Amino acid sequence: MKNRNRAITRHQRSRIIQQKLYVVRNVWGRDEKESILHPFIAHPGKLAKGKLNCSCRMCKYDKHYKILKSTVASKLELMQQEVDEYWSEE
């Protein structure tokens, strides 16, 4: 395993915080202009731990609309081809 120094750890932590802060501001509709700040905006370091657990229709479209993600669809197609090849050999 590579040696990882503190700079890499700090970079990854700040990258994840910025990514989750984007979700809080733009998807959840929270902003600094509100009279009562959301705890994640007031203290963004809390975003480094845990998940945001968003289950809205935009984030979980495959669950709500029964649309398969491309990776799942390709795996299913591959398995179906293997089954078809198996049955065609007999």
Side-chain angles (χ1 to χ4, degrees):
M1 188 169 152
K2 281 185 172 180
N3 281 341
R4 297 183 186 258
N5 56 13
R6 290 182 189 170
I8 293 173
T9 305
R10 272 189 242 114
H11 167 72
Q12 291 297 329
R13 182 176 187 266
S14 66
R15 186 180 64 82
I16 294 300
I17 289 172
Q18 291 304 314
Q19 181 182 6
K20 291 179 182 178
L21 203 54
Y22 175 83
V23 171
V24 169
R25 286 184 178 142
N26 297 316
V27 176
W28 292 2
R30 300 300 180 126
D31 202 5
E32 290 94 4
K33 298 173 187 169
E34 295 177 358
S35 60
I36 299 173
L37 282 179
H38 192 274
F40 289 150
I41 293 177
H43 307 287
K46 290 182 178 183
L47 290 169
K49 305 242 179 202
K51 298 179 182 176
L52 292 179
N53 293 333
C54 184
S55 62
C56 69
R57 292 184 185 272
M58 185 175 77
C59 296
K60 301 280 185 175
Y61 66 90
D62 55 332
K63 176 182 169 190
H64 291 286
Y65 299 113
K66 309 252 185 311
I67 300 172
L68 296 177
K69 292 184 179 179
S70 60
T71 55
V72 175
S74 64
K75 287 179 184 177
L76 285 174
E77 184 180 323
L78 230 150
M79 290 190 315
Q80 186 61 41
Q81 286 177 356
E82 290 176 358
V83 169
D84 292 342
E85 287 175 8
Y86 176 79
W87 289 112
S88 65
E89 289 175 359
E90 291 182 354

